Amino acid sequence: MIKSIFSALPLFLFVFISTAEAQERVLSKEEAIDLTLENNLGIQVARNTQKIDDNNAGILNSGYLPTVTANAGGSIDKQNTEGQLASGDTRTADGAETRRYNASVDVNYTLFDGLNRYYSYKSFKERSQQSELEVRQTIENTILQLFAVYYEAARLTENTKNLEQALGISKDRLKRARYQFEYGQNTGLDVLNAEVDINTDSINLLNSRQQLRNTMRDLNLVLNQDLSSQFLADTTVNFVPGLQMENMHNEAKSNNIRLQLVEKDMNITMYNVKAAKSVFLPTIGLTGTYGWNESSNNSPLAFLIQNTSTGVTGAVNLSWNLFDGGRGITGIKNVKIGYENQELLKKQIELEVERDIRNAWDSYTNALYVLEVQEKNLQTNQNNFNRTDERYKLGQVTSIEFRQAQLNLLNAELAQSQAKYSAKLAELQMLQISGQLLNVDF
C-alpha cells in the first residue's frame, strides 16, 4: 500500500504544480467588476433594451412632427371619338391620345389630438427612465451573482490550502510512524492508520481542487470570457463599517430598486389614464399640398390641346368622435382599474421590502456573530493542535488523539472560512435591498 501511495505522488505533485503555475494571476474584485460590467451578456441585453426605450422617448416618435408625402403619377388614354359641331358637321378622331401627368407634395400636421400625444410622450419618457432602473437592477443582480461565485472560489481556494497543509501533516506523521515502527516504538497499526489518513486527505484535496475548477468556470461564465481562463481569487474580505439598522431601513424606503420601478409603473399608468380621455376631445389638423398637373390631347375635338397647372392648397380639418359605441368609456374604466392595481402592488412591495431588509439585517448580524465565534474556535483548536503535536512528538498522546486534534483544526479552518464569506454575502444582500450595493467598495 505504501508503495502504491508514493508511486502516485509524482502525478499528484505534477497536477498541483501545473495548477499553481496556471493560477499565478490574482483577479482582484475591482477587475472582476469591470469585466462583468463590460462583458456580461445579461447586462448588454439590458443596455440594448434601454437604447430602444430611449429611441421611443425621442422627438421622432412623439407625434409632434408633421408628415410629408410625395406623390406622382401618369396615364395614357387612347380613344376613338366622334362629335357633332353646332353647324351640323360630324367629326371623328381615331386613336386620339390623352396624356396626363401629376406630382404633389403633401404635408399633414396635427394641431390638437385631445392631448393624447402629450401624455403618450410623457409615458415614453417615464418608460425610458424605468429602463435605466432596470439596467441598474440587472447590474445589481449580476454583481451579487458575481460575488456569490467569486467568494465561493475564494473559499475553495482557502479550503484547498488548508487541505494541502493537512496532507503535509499526515505525510510527516506517516514518516514518524514508519521510523518508530522500524525502531520498535509502536506497532504496524500506527503506520496503517497514517496511510489511511493520507488517502483520505488526498481524496479530500482532489475533490476540493475539482470543485475549485468548476467554480472558476462558473465565474468565467459570469465574466463572459474563456471558460478555461485560470486565476486566483482574492481571499481578503473587508466589511463595510458603521452599518446601522435604522439607516438601512430608511435607505431601503427611498432607494430600493423594486420600489422605484413600481413608482414608474404607476406614473406610466396615470399618463395612460389621461391619454385615454382624449377620446372625448376633438382632433384638429392642418393639410397642405403643392401640386403640378399636365395633360395633353391630340383629338381635334378637344377644346384645349395641352393644359399645365401648378398651385398650393391648404386646409384645416376638425374631427370629433361624439360617440364610439362606448369603447372609449370602457377603455378609461379599465385603465383606471389598472392604476388601482398598481397602487395595491406598491403597498405589497413596500411590505415585502420592509420584511426583506429586516430579515437581511438579522442574517447579517447573525453571520457576523457566527464569524466571531468561529474565529475564536479556530484559535482554540490551533492552540490545542500545537500542544497535541508537541505531546505526540514526545510520545505522550496516541496517533488517534493526534488525528482527532488535526481534524478538529481542519474543521475549524473550514468553518471559519465558510463563516467569513457567508457574512460578506449577507452584507451584500442587505446592501442590495437598501439600494446601496453600487455605492460601496468591495
Side-chain angles (χ1 to χ4, degrees):
M1 180 179 290
I2 296 176
K3 181 178 180 181
S4 62
I5 292 174
F6 282 95
S7 63
L9 283 178
L11 177 61
F12 179 81
L13 292 175
F14 173 77
V15 173
F16 170 71
I17 294 173
S18 299
T19 304
E21 290 177 350
Q23 295 184 340
E24 288 181 355
R25 185 175 71 89
V26 175
L27 179 69
S28 67
K29 302 179 185 67
E30 293 76 13
E31 184 181 358
I33 293 174
D34 292 339
L35 288 173
T36 301
L37 294 178
E38 181 180 357
N39 299 329
N40 183 266
L41 297 179
I43 294 177
Q44 292 182 35
V45 170
R47 286 173 173 165
N48 285 337
T49 302
Q50 180 188 358
K51 291 178 182 179
I52 294 175
D53 291 325
D54 289 343
N55 292 336
N56 291 335
I59 188 66
L60 296 178
N61 192 50
S62 65
Y64 279 103
L65 299 179
T67 61
V68 181
T69 307
N71 301 289
S75 65
I76 300 176
D77 185 20
K78 286 187 177 183
Q79 298 287 338
N80 296 325
T81 61
E82 179 178 327
Q84 186 174 9
L85 301 179
S87 62
D89 296 337
T90 300
R91 293 184 180 180
T92 61
D94 295 333
E97 185 177 275
T98 302
R99 294 175 179 266
R100 297 182 181 88
Y101 304 99
N102 64 83
S104 66
V105 177
D106 301 326
V107 179
N108 292 278
Y109 184 71
T110 301
L111 287 177
F112 181 75
D113 66 346
L115 298 177
N116 178 68
R117 64 182 174 183
Y118 173 77
Y119 291 116
S120 296
Y121 184 62
K122 289 277 191 180
S123 177
F124 282 131
K125 285 292 186 182
E126 288 291 327
R127 174 55 197 154
S128 177
Q129 296 173 11
Q130 186 184 50
S131 186
E132 292 181 10
L133 293 174
E134 289 174 349
V135 172
R136 175 189 145 193
Q137 184 182 44
T138 301
I139 291 176
E140 286 184 357
N141 292 335
T142 305
I143 292 298
L144 198 62
Q145 178 189 10
L146 165 68
F147 279 106
V149 181
Y150 185 93
Y151 285 133
E152 177 64 10
R155 185 186 71 83
L156 289 171
T157 299
E158 288 189 348
N159 288 359
T160 301
K161 291 180 179 179
N162 291 330
L163 290 170
E164 288 171 358
Q165 294 174 358
L167 180 60
I169 293 173
S170 295
K171 288 179 180 179
D172 291 338
R173 177 182 154 212
L174 175 60
K175 290 180 181 180
R176 186 180 300 116
R178 290 179 63 203
Y179 290 147
Q180 291 174 346
F181 177 71
E182 291 175 359
Y183 289 98
Q185 297 179 358
N186 63 21
T187 64
L189 182 61
D190 288 338
V191 176
L192 294 176
N193 288 336
E195 291 175 354
V196 171
D197 292 338
I198 283 182
N199 288 336
T200 300
D201 293 343
S202 299
I203 292 172
N204 292 337
L205 179 57
L206 290 174
N207 289 336
S208 180
R209 285 178 176 166
Q210 180 60 50
Q211 292 174 0
L212 179 57
R213 287 193 294 270
N214 292 343
T215 304
M216 284 298 181
R217 294 188 189 100
D218 293 338
L219 184 55
N220 284 324
L221 182 63
V222 177
L223 300 175
N224 188 27
Q225 61 180 11
D226 187 0
L227 296 180
S228 61
S229 298
Q230 297 292 328
F231 44 80
L232 285 172
D234 184 5
T235 58
T236 304
V237 173
N238 297 315
F239 292 94
V240 179
L243 295 181
Q244 297 180 356
M245 175 59 193
E246 183 178 357
N247 292 338
M248 292 294 99
H249 188 267
N250 293 335
E251 292 289 346
K253 286 184 176 179
S254 57
N255 296 321
N256 181 269
I257 191 67
R258 293 182 63 199
L259 290 176
Q260 293 182 352
L261 286 172
V262 75
E263 283 283 354
K264 291 300 179 183
D265 279 333
M266 292 182 65
N267 293 341
I268 292 172
T269 305
M270 176 55 70
Y271 287 133
N272 291 339
V273 171
K274 295 180 178 180
K277 293 180 179 179
S278 64
V279 69
F280 298 130
L281 298 176
T283 299
I284 302 174
L286 292 178
T287 60
T289 302
Y290 176 79
W292 167 81
N293 294 274
E294 180 181 286
S295 64
S296 60
N297 192 340
N298 62 0
S299 173
L301 302 177
F303 178 73
L304 292 175
I305 301 301
Q306 184 169 349
N307 180 39
T308 302
S309 64
T310 58
V312 177
T313 301
V316 178
N317 55 72
L318 182 146
S319 175
W320 198 335
N321 190 357
L322 297 179
F323 184 69
D324 63 354
R327 288 188 297 272
I329 297 175
T330 302
I332 293 175
K333 289 181 178 179
N334 291 339
V335 176
K336 287 183 177 179
I337 294 174
Y339 183 77
E340 292 176 2
N341 286 339
Q342 291 293 338
E343 290 181 322
L344 296 174
L345 180 61
K346 180 183 178 182
K347 293 179 180 178
Q348 178 68 26
I349 292 178
E350 287 175 345
L351 290 174
E352 291 176 356
V353 168
E354 183 172 358
R355 176 206 62 190
D356 292 343
I357 192 63
R358 292 183 184 276
N359 289 346
W361 177 262
D362 288 345
S363 298
Y364 169 67
T365 53
N366 183 72
L368 287 181
Y369 176 76
V370 171
L371 175 59
E372 182 181 358
V373 172
Q374 292 294 354
E375 288 176 342
K376 293 179 180 178
N377 186 48
L378 174 59
Q379 186 62 45
T380 300
N381 279 279
Q382 182 67 61
N383 295 334
N384 179 64
F385 175 77
N386 292 338
R387 289 194 297 267
T388 303
D389 185 39
E390 294 175 358
R391 296 180 62 190
Y392 181 68
K393 292 177 182 179
L394 298 174
Q396 297 176 353
V397 297
T398 64
S399 61
I400 296 177
E401 293 173 324
F402 176 84
R403 177 63 176 178
Q404 187 60 50
Q406 180 190 8
L407 291 178
N408 290 341
L409 175 60
L410 177 61
N411 292 333
E413 291 172 337
L414 300 181
Q416 186 272 342
S417 180
Q418 177 69 58
K420 177 174 66 173
Y421 296 113
S422 295
K424 184 59 180 179
L425 288 177
E427 179 188 79
L428 295 180
Q429 290 170 351
M430 182 182 61
L431 291 171
Q432 182 194 27
I433 297 172
S434 66
Q436 299 299 310
L437 181 62
L438 304 181
N439 300 329
V440 297
D441 295 329
F442 295 93

